[in-house]
Amino acid sequence: MILTRRKISNYHHLRVDSDRLRQDFEELAQIGATPEGGVHRLALSQEDLLARAWFADRVEAAGLLVQDDDAGNLSGVLRSAKPHAKTLLIGSHFDTVPNGGKYDGSIGVLAALECLRVIREAAISLPVHLEAIDFTDDEGCWRSLFGSRALAGMLSDEDVHDARIDNGAFRAALSRAGIEIRDVFTAERPSSAIAAYLELHIEQGERLERAQTKIGVVNDIVGRTTYRITFLGQAGHSGTTPMYRRRDALRGAAQFIVRTHDAVRERYGDGVFNCGDVDVKPGAFNIIPSEACLTVECRHVNAQLLAEMEMLIVQIARECAAVNALTLECERIAHMPAAHMDESILSDIEGAVEQLGLSAMRLPSFSGHDAQMISRIAPGGMIFIPSVGGISHHAQEFTHWEDVVNGANVLLQTILRIALKKK
Amino acid sequence: MILTRRKISNYHHLRVDSDRLRQDFEELAQIGATPEGGVHRLALSQEDLLARAWFADRVEAAGLLVQDDDAGNLSGVLRSAKPHAKTLLIGSHFDTVPNGGKYDGSIGVLAALECLRVIREAAISLPVHLEAIDFTDDEGCWRSLFGSRALAGMLSDEDVHDARIDNGAFRAALSRAGIEIRDVFTAERPSSAIAAYLELHIEQGERLERAQTKIGVVNDIVGRTTYRITFLGQAGHSGTTPMYRRRDALRGAAQFIVRTHDAVRERYGDGVFNCGDVDVKPGAFNIIPSEACLTVECRHVNAQLLAEMEMLIVQIARECAAVNALTLECERIAHMPAAHMDESILSDIEGAVEQLGLSAMRLPSFSGHDAQMISRIAPGGMIFIPSVGGISHHAQEFTHWEDVVNGANVLLQTILRIALKKK
């Protein structure tokens, strides 16, 4: 039986099973649990592989089909009876940042699985395949959004064969997961095969909490560019080299950090700048630093403004190098373009929210997500739920369970709305 | 025969053997040689132990007595025939900073050995023992000026038993050198046993070169204080935490580095500030730094102004922590007080310079030296020779050989002048 528009309201009463979802959540959070109450589950690590094995078991136990691809993406599939059906992808990721939290990514995959279970149990026959997917290395332990980029055909040769960033260890990690590096490009799927993409995720900010709003309907996903910026000076004895004759790489780097933070705040209210690390050489208390290598990123939802910010950052780096007689190396490591979500899908999400009697607001996402990549080949939509205090990428990351269940129900009803429109 | 004042001029013609000294210099520079042309010979490392074994061989080959103490200080001794003679110590150190140069320290010990050889060959009997000494860990790979502090009775329990700074590795390193950590305090010598201390060293600055002066007569050695300053903030997702709500430890640290450099330049013309390293945690491009630990030192020849500078540095750190809502930990790791050289010894050095027809100027040392410690228990004097371009603690460290020989001859004639005054 293929469901028709007339019958949609028959399924308005469907809800996810909060206890079953909670049990999955608690079990998964044990895999890579840290003493601080967070999760350390780096992509392709032993913990990540354990989480995948656990997920495959849960998929099978639910009577769904386990499926994976050559980029390590792992799915549970509820197949449509319709021949040549497109796939409605619903997912997120199990990997975490180092010492991350329990909610980031995990909630999205587990809620997707729960939605498939509910729909299967309700014996609803849909005109699309439903696929709950865990994408490989969203967080970029190896390569940011690796799995979703592979699926969207956005991987470049450089992502796989780039020897600069310890490719040997990356190959070994892929190999542990049973992935042959030469095969990853075969994970690409044609745009015509994907009906749409949905992702439920914690906000990782505090806009929803502050607005006392239950659901965030993401309209844009921030563009992000990563740089490695190296200031090169001259080592020397810190006591005997006159202050005015020094070429102190760290002094130049510090000026850059201070000035860029100030300039981004002043000129790009919605822009984001982070310097996450500094590597200083030779690194002794009594030697003037000859090298300071900075790990820098910037984000903006507006592609034009992001490009402007990048120019500003490089310009400030040049000036700080010049005034300290340093040489400068700017390497643009990665760029994830800003992405727009699909207006029709946003309406479906808002319809589901209204039907469930929840509050919602549209907002951009300042974090990158797999939706950013998949939305380049298919209509995409993201649903945010509140993060307490906006804390994320940290053991204290927390979302009230009621909000998780609300988000999962919005996801369930949105899946049904989208699926029932498809022929 | 004990030499009397009447016979001093008999020895004005004595000179070091330039070729023999040069051969020693070239051989020693091979031990820990780096591809860049410098030397990497950390205190108590395998290279340092090889250098000591080589030195002991050279001492024996010269017919001198090999002697060591429980702090690892290693000497060649030319004993006086006089009973109960005091010792005229002459030395420096064989250890280098990481990827340091060939001249720093080595020249001082090798020139001392050469002076003893010349005096022995001239069959001059002096009323003092002469001791050419290599001090352990001048550079502070483990503990700054460890050997000279031990000899001067300036080691504290904390220097040896402090568990904060990886004491296990330090014990293991001492053990490799045959040193029992409980015995190091026995290396202390009574003030009454030391006639004086002399040290020949490269300037590691460019004052002599700029003034086209051959010999520096050091009147003061800079005081130095080392801090570990840690800014503690809050980790968080770099994309989703609003800029104005961040507690970014690295931003505070960068402001501190910039402001302190500016303030020291502005207020303390003769003062020195260095931030040699920053350790950032967690250190990922997309996580706001929660911790930035800085390795900081400041120097001044004036003890009062050094104390003022320290207060200023801590005050700036407090302000930078406060404006970024960070907490601050300031740990005073080490303090080497400023030291004055002995006026009578300075006159002896200047007498030797004049006799040799060289140019000289008095100047303070902005680097710490073993003389700083030994001068606390005995009259001390230091002789500087020019460093080309002022470069030091670097493979490009260079001093013209003619200047090395000049310095060694000043050392030789100064030794004779001091020795012949003693009864």
Side-chain angles (χ1 to χ4, degrees):
Chain A
M1 176 193 79
I2 303 293
L3 203 74
T4 65
R5 183 174 293 272
R6 196 169 43 81
K7 295 176 184 160
I8 300 176
S9 58
N10 295 353
Y11 302 102
H12 276 187
H13 68 281
L14 279 184
R15 296 291 181 275
V16 299
D17 181 333
S18 168
D19 292 343
R20 183 167 60 184
L21 180 55
R22 178 101 202 206
Q23 193 181 328
D24 280 355
F25 174 74
E26 300 291 356
E27 282 183 21
L28 178 59
Q30 292 306 310
I31 305 174
T34 62
E36 297 80 23
V39 177
H40 185 82
R41 196 165 56 221
L42 305 184
L44 305 175
S45 67
Q46 205 53 44
E47 292 76 18
D48 189 27
L49 301 188
L50 278 173
R52 288 155 182 262
W54 172 87
F55 181 64
D57 284 347
R58 298 301 293 150
V59 167
E60 287 194 338
L64 301 168
L65 188 69
V66 176
Q67 180 183 302
D68 62 6
D69 68 20
D70 286 328
N73 300 315
L74 179 65
S75 307
V77 179
L78 177 59
R79 288 189 65 83
S80 167
K82 187 183 162 192
H84 313 300
K86 291 187 173 189
T87 293
L88 173 51
L89 271 177
I90 316 124
S92 196
H93 59 95
F94 285 145
D95 66 298
T96 73
V97 295
N99 294 305
K102 295 175 185 172
Y103 298 81
D104 180 354
S106 295
I107 285 295
V109 189
L110 296 180
L113 171 63
E114 176 58 19
C115 290
L116 267 58
R117 283 189 296 224
V118 170
I119 292 169
R120 181 176 177 280
E121 287 162 1
I124 310 172
S125 179
L126 294 175
V128 291
H129 306 310
L130 299 184
E131 180 175 345
I133 188 166
D134 160 44
F135 289 112
T136 302
D137 199 14
D138 167 280
E139 297 290 4
C141 164
W142 303 99
R143 300 288 186 279
S144 262
L145 308 179
F146 183 79
S148 51
R149 282 198 287 157
L151 193 148
M154 305 283 292
L155 274 188
S156 69
D157 264 358
E158 236 188 14
D159 290 314
V160 180
H161 298 296
D162 182 2
R164 288 173 315 183
I165 325 175
D166 198 0
N167 202 42
F170 184 39
R171 277 166 185 262
L174 289 170
S175 174
R176 277 200 301 275
I179 302 168
E180 285 285 345
I181 205 158
R182 64 174 174 274
D183 294 337
V184 297
F185 294 101
T186 65
E188 182 176 351
R189 300 201 203 175
S191 178
S192 59
I194 313 290
Y197 176 70
L198 288 176
E199 184 167 355
L200 172 67
H201 206 282
I202 56 169
E203 184 200 342
Q204 305 177 278
E206 50 185 349
R207 291 166 295 173
L208 292 175
E209 187 180 66
R210 296 198 155 212
Q212 297 186 294
T213 298
K214 288 297 181 185
I215 299 293
V217 182
V218 176
N219 45 11
D220 288 292
I221 299 180
V222 74
R224 175 173 54 132
T225 309
T226 312
Y227 281 89
R228 186 168 295 125
I229 298 182
T230 307
F231 293 88
L232 294 159
Q234 167 82 51
H237 189 295
S238 64
T240 59
T241 312
M243 295 292 276
Y244 67 91
R245 282 179 59 85
R246 296 180 179 208
R247 297 173 53 214
D248 180 340
L250 182 54
R251 190 184 185 205
Q255 289 171 348
F256 166 78
I257 294 169
V258 171
R259 282 190 52 192
T260 311
H261 268 293
D262 291 348
V264 167
R265 273 171 180 72
E266 192 177 306
R267 302 191 206 177
Y268 299 95
D270 295 331
V272 164
F273 169 77
N274 189 51
C275 178
D277 203 5
V278 182
D279 186 28
V280 181
K281 289 179 185 165
F285 65 91
N286 59 348
I287 307 184
I288 298 162
S290 60
E291 189 176 327
C293 179
L294 278 57
T295 305
V296 159
E297 65 153 36
C298 54
R299 300 173 187 238
H300 207 288
V301 289
N302 181 307
Q304 173 62 32
L305 294 178
L306 178 60
E308 275 184 28
M309 271 177 69
E310 289 189 49
M311 285 173 56
L312 174 70
I313 288 168
V314 172
Q315 181 56 32
I316 292 175
R318 282 204 190 106
E319 291 171 12
C320 293
V323 296
N324 291 285
L326 307 172
T327 52
L328 183 73
E329 290 174 3
C330 275
E331 197 182 355
R332 196 174 190 245
I333 299 292
H335 174 65
M336 303 287 171
H340 299 289
M341 297 299 101
D342 183 79
E343 185 56 42
S344 155
I345 302 231
L346 297 188
S347 299
D348 288 332
I349 295 171
E350 287 166 337
V353 167
E354 197 183 339
Q355 169 201 324
L356 288 160
L358 298 167
S359 51
M361 62 191 272
R362 289 196 177 193
L363 38 64
S365 167
F366 286 107
S367 47
H369 292 288
D370 295 302
Q372 190 165 4
M373 288 302 145
I374 308 300
S375 66
R376 297 178 75 85
I377 60 163
M382 275 200 86
I383 301 159
F384 272 177
I385 49 177
S387 294
V388 171
I391 296 167
S392 184
H393 283 188
H394 191 281
Q396 284 168 23
E397 181 179 275
F398 180 70
T399 292
H400 291 291
W401 189 252
E402 178 199 331
D403 291 329
V404 172
V405 173
N406 283 337
N409 280 323
V410 171
L411 183 67
L412 174 63
Q413 290 298 329
T414 306
I415 291 169
L416 291 171
R417 282 168 184 262
I418 294 169
L420 296 175
K421 282 191 213 161
K422 303 292 170 187
K423 293 297 165 294
Chain B
M1 176 191 80
I2 303 291
L3 203 75
T4 63
R5 182 173 294 270
R6 194 168 45 78
K7 295 175 185 160
I8 300 176
S9 58
N10 294 356
Y11 302 102
H12 276 185
H13 67 283
L14 279 184
R15 295 290 181 275
V16 299
D17 181 333
S18 169
D19 292 343
R20 182 167 60 183
L21 180 55
R22 178 102 201 204
Q23 194 181 328
D24 279 356
F25 174 74
E26 301 291 357
E27 282 183 21
L28 178 59
Q30 292 306 309
I31 305 174
T34 62
E36 297 80 22
V39 177
H40 185 82
R41 194 164 58 221
L42 305 185
L44 305 176
S45 68
Q46 203 54 42
E47 292 77 17
D48 189 27
L49 300 188
L50 280 172
R52 287 154 183 261
W54 172 87
F55 181 64
D57 284 347
R58 298 301 293 149
V59 167
E60 286 195 337
L64 301 168
L65 187 68
V66 176
Q67 179 182 302
D68 63 4
D69 69 19
D70 287 327
N73 300 314
L74 179 65
S75 307
V77 180
L78 177 60
R79 290 188 64 84
S80 166
K82 185 183 163 196
H84 312 301
K86 290 188 175 191
T87 293
L88 173 50
L89 270 178
I90 316 125
S92 197
H93 59 95
F94 286 145
D95 66 298
T96 73
V97 294
N99 295 304
K102 295 175 184 171
Y103 297 81
D104 181 355
S106 295
I107 285 296
V109 189
L110 296 180
L113 171 63
E114 176 58 21
C115 291
L116 267 58
R117 284 190 296 225
V118 171
I119 292 169
R120 182 175 175 279
E121 287 162 1
I124 310 173
S125 180
L126 294 175
V128 290
H129 306 309
L130 298 184
E131 180 174 344
I133 188 165
D134 159 43
F135 288 111
T136 302
D137 199 14
D138 166 280
E139 297 290 4
C141 163
W142 303 98
R143 300 288 187 277
S144 262
L145 308 180
F146 182 80
S148 51
R149 281 198 287 156
L151 194 148
M154 305 283 292
L155 274 188
S156 69
D157 264 358
E158 235 188 12
D159 290 313
V160 179
H161 298 296
D162 183 1
R164 287 173 315 183
I165 325 174
D166 199 358
N167 202 43
F170 183 39
R171 277 166 185 262
L174 289 170
S175 175
R176 278 199 301 275
I179 301 168
E180 286 285 344
I181 204 158
R182 64 174 173 272
D183 294 338
V184 297
F185 293 101
T186 65
E188 181 175 352
R189 300 202 203 174
S191 178
S192 58
I194 314 289
Y197 176 70
L198 286 176
E199 184 166 354
L200 172 67
H201 207 281
I202 56 170
E203 185 200 342
Q204 306 178 280
E206 50 186 349
R207 290 165 296 174
L208 291 176
E209 187 180 68
R210 296 194 156 215
Q212 297 185 295
T213 299
K214 289 296 181 187
I215 298 293
V217 182
V218 176
N219 45 11
D220 287 291
I221 300 181
V222 74
R224 174 173 54 131
T225 308
T226 312
Y227 280 90
R228 186 168 295 126
I229 298 183
T230 308
F231 294 87
L232 295 159
Q234 167 81 50
H237 189 294
S238 63
T240 58
T241 312
M243 295 292 276
Y244 67 90
R245 280 179 61 86
R246 295 181 179 209
R247 296 173 54 214
D248 180 339
L250 182 54
R251 190 184 186 205
Q255 290 170 346
F256 166 78
I257 294 170
V258 171
R259 282 189 53 191
T260 310
H261 269 293
D262 292 347
V264 167
R265 273 172 180 72
E266 192 178 305
R267 303 191 204 177
Y268 299 94
D270 296 330
V272 162
F273 169 76
N274 189 50
C275 178
D277 202 6
V278 182
D279 185 28
V280 181
K281 289 180 184 162
F285 66 90
N286 59 349
I287 307 185
I288 299 161
S290 59
E291 188 176 325
C293 178
L294 278 59
T295 305
V296 159
E297 63 152 39
C298 54
R299 299 173 189 239
H300 207 289
V301 289
N302 180 307
Q304 172 63 29
L305 293 178
L306 179 60
E308 273 184 28
M309 272 177 68
E310 290 188 48
M311 282 173 59
L312 174 70
I313 288 168
V314 172
Q315 180 56 31
I316 292 174
R318 282 204 189 107
E319 290 170 13
C320 292
V323 297
N324 290 285
L326 307 172
T327 52
L328 183 73
E329 290 174 2
C330 275
E331 197 181 356
R332 197 174 190 243
I333 299 292
H335 175 64
M336 302 289 173
H340 299 291
M341 296 300 98
D342 183 79
E343 187 55 43
S344 154
I345 303 234
L346 297 186
S347 299
D348 288 332
I349 296 170
E350 286 165 339
V353 168
E354 197 182 340
Q355 169 201 323
L356 288 160
L358 299 168
S359 52
M361 63 192 270
R362 289 196 178 193
L363 37 65
S365 168
F366 286 106
S367 47
H369 292 288
D370 295 303
Q372 192 165 2
M373 287 302 144
I374 308 300
S375 66
R376 297 177 76 84
I377 59 163
M382 276 201 87
I383 300 159
F384 272 178
I385 49 177
S387 295
V388 171
I391 295 168
S392 184
H393 283 186
H394 191 280
Q396 285 169 22
E397 181 179 275
F398 180 70
T399 291
H400 292 290
W401 189 251
E402 178 200 330
D403 290 329
V404 172
V405 173
N406 283 337
N409 280 322
V410 171
L411 184 66
L412 174 63
Q413 290 298 329
T414 306
I415 290 169
L416 291 171
R417 280 168 186 263
I418 294 170
L420 296 175
K421 280 191 212 160
K422 302 292 168 186
K423 294 297 167 292

